Amino acid sequence: MPRKGIDKFVVVRDKEIATHLVPGVFPAGRQAEWSAQNRTVTFTVHPLTNGVAMAVAGKEPRERLAKDIRVYEQDQRVYVCSMVPVPDERLPFINDTHAVFTSLQNIMDASSQDNEAVGIDGLLRMSALYREAMLRQVRVLQDARVVSEFISGEIDVFQSMHAVWHLLEIIYLSTNMPGLSTSVVPFYMEWLNFNFPSPLAEDGQSIIDGGGDADSLAKNADLWPYLQKLALRGHVTTLANMLERVAPSQELSAAASRWARELAKTSREMPLGSDEETTGSFNARWRQWNGELQNMATAIGSLLDVSDTQSGDAALSSLYTIVDIMRGDADAGSAAGETWQDVLGAILLYSEPTAQADRLPGLAHIVLEQFQTGDST
């Protein structure tokens, strides 16, 4: 059975789009009153431009009015509008978003006696439709015959709009769904990897194309930075697969091969929360898993001089860095992260896996301050 409100949310796309002035010429709900009091809107279109001047004035001259009709002086405010031509490429976005907006208004108008007619489900669906329109506009712009500097800027604008909207959707809607875990972490990581797709797929394919056997992988200078990115973004299954693939290499030391296999195994065992599990039970499993990583970091650290990683076992040093990231070391995450979004994701994923949405502003403020001052500690 569909949840309440979902089946009512039907988008009907109109051919015409209404334009409104903000603030409005008439105060809300006063149109009929002003009309009865001899007030109307006058406008003048400039003959050479798309400009329109609008003002409130009397409908009839004073001398034509009966003495018992109250007369108002002409409003001194003049509204100047500019009609900007809309490119054909923008029309799908305008039509889609306007249709979503008017559909929501119609639902709200029809459900004045039923406050649950829309609900979180309906709002979430509306938000998804808005985001779909933004992404569709990005694809339209990317498919343009000539991607000019202006179009490139438009693509950046719409991608940024989507990222901001998506994050707000997570904070105010996704994490407030009844009966679901309120942890913001899985939602944030989905947001991060969708809106800021670090070239992980391209990096991985490039590394495999350079030789997929264990020895070729071990010799590839891009392998270990790639594995650090995987850890930072929470792609622990892919990380485990790659570690298992490179571990048999004769190019690695015995210690590096051993700990590559151990880290692959531990990565696969990373605890994941569920709606059926209590927070206390999850935290207990998480502490146990984190303790294993702490022990691993201690063991690997004892095998190398971490203050001089360049002259030691490079593979083992890289494994140490990955373990540091995954055990929640702030310095390791900050050093490996290329953007503040990366660092915030690592903090949430490995240090505060049960954080709720209201924790995001405080953590983001701390991370942003680090990036602004250049301090990654």
Side-chain angles (χ1 to χ4, degrees):
M1 180 177 180
R3 292 180 177 175
K4 195 172 187 181
I6 287 292
D7 55 334
K8 298 181 181 180
F9 199 89
V10 179
V11 173
V12 179
R13 290 170 170 78
D14 298 324
K15 296 181 179 179
E16 301 282 338
I17 294 179
T19 302
H20 304 277
L21 293 175
V22 178
V25 179
F26 292 107
R30 298 285 298 281
Q31 291 91 331
E33 176 188 348
W34 280 32
S35 178
Q37 294 172 348
N38 192 44
R39 308 205 83 182
T40 188
V41 174
T42 62
F43 66 92
T44 302
V45 180
H46 194 284
L48 301 178
T49 70
N50 290 321
V52 179
M54 303 178 66
V56 178
K59 287 184 178 181
E60 298 287 344
R62 287 171 180 263
E63 55 270 18
R64 292 188 184 180
L65 299 177
K67 294 182 179 180
D68 59 345
I69 295 180
R70 188 177 179 184
V71 177
Y72 290 83
E73 296 295 331
Q74 179 167 332
D75 198 314
Q76 299 300 309
R77 291 176 298 174
V78 175
Y79 297 77
V80 179
C81 311
S82 178
M83 305 299 291
V84 179
V86 178
D88 291 342
E89 293 80 6
R90 282 279 187 93
L91 290 177
F93 175 74
I94 295 173
N95 285 330
D96 288 347
T97 53
H98 181 265
V100 175
F101 175 78
T102 54
S103 296
L104 179 64
Q105 302 310 305
N106 291 336
I107 293 174
M108 298 298 290
D109 290 342
S111 60
S112 58
Q113 304 300 321
D114 185 0
N115 295 329
E116 297 182 359
V118 178
I120 297 294
D121 288 329
L123 292 175
L124 193 58
R125 182 172 180 180
M126 180 209 72
S127 181
L129 289 171
Y130 267 113
R131 292 198 293 111
E132 179 186 337
M134 296 175 197
L135 294 175
R136 186 182 300 114
Q137 181 65 15
V138 170
R139 292 192 292 269
V140 168
L141 292 168
Q142 290 173 334
D143 291 340
R145 292 182 179 179
V146 179
V147 180
S148 63
E149 183 178 349
F150 171 77
I151 291 181
S152 296
E154 286 278 278
I155 292 173
D156 290 340
V157 167
F158 277 94
Q159 287 177 332
S160 298
M161 286 169 54
H162 180 272
V164 173
W165 188 285
H166 191 185
L167 187 58
L168 292 174
E169 175 188 299
I170 289 171
I171 293 173
Y172 292 108
L173 298 177
S174 299
T175 54
N176 286 308
M177 291 288 287
L180 293 181
S181 171
T182 56
S183 173
V184 75
V185 178
F187 296 101
Y188 179 88
M189 297 308 296
E190 177 189 357
W191 171 84
L192 174 62
N193 288 302
F194 184 88
N195 292 281
F196 302 95
S198 177
L200 295 175
E202 292 84 347
D203 289 348
Q205 190 58 50
S206 175
I207 291 170
I208 296 299
D209 290 344
D213 62 283
D215 288 340
S216 297
L217 288 175
K219 292 177 182 178
N220 195 318
D222 296 328
L223 174 67
W224 296 107
Y226 169 65
L227 297 184
Q228 290 179 24
K229 286 183 182 179
L230 290 176
L232 199 68
R233 289 297 189 96
H235 298 302
V236 292
T237 300
T238 305
L239 172 64
N241 291 339
M242 293 297 291
L243 287 171
E244 289 173 347
R245 197 164 183 170
V246 74
S249 173
Q250 298 299 316
E251 299 293 325
L252 299 183
S253 66
S257 294
R258 175 201 169 188
W259 288 111
R261 291 187 177 92
E262 288 293 327
L263 182 55
K265 177 176 177 293
T266 304
S267 297
R268 294 191 187 281
E269 295 172 350
M270 179 178 175
L272 298 175
S274 67
D275 297 331
E276 291 76 22
E277 185 178 26
T278 65
T279 302
S281 173
F282 173 79
N283 286 337
R285 292 195 300 122
W286 184 269
R287 284 192 296 270
Q288 180 179 354
W289 182 77
N290 186 262
E292 293 176 5
L293 288 170
Q294 299 282 358
N295 294 335
M296 190 180 299
T298 301
I300 297 175
S302 67
L303 297 176
L304 50 78
D305 180 8
V306 294
S307 64
D308 185 15
T309 58
Q310 298 300 320
S311 62
D313 189 329
L316 198 59
S317 297
S318 296
L319 286 167
Y320 182 83
T321 300
I322 295 171
V323 173
D324 253 3
I325 292 171
M326 295 179 66
R327 71 184 180 92
D329 184 270
D331 290 342
S334 296
E338 297 178 358
T339 67
W340 68 265
Q341 293 94 335
D342 280 337
V343 177
L344 179 56
I347 292 173
L348 287 169
L349 188 61
Y350 298 121
S351 296
E352 301 197 26
T354 58
Q356 297 185 353
D358 57 5
R359 182 75 175 116
L360 281 181
L363 289 176
H365 179 71
I366 294 172
V367 174
L368 282 169
E369 278 192 336
Q370 292 176 357
F371 269 76
Q372 290 167 356
T373 60
D375 180 13
S376 61
T377 59

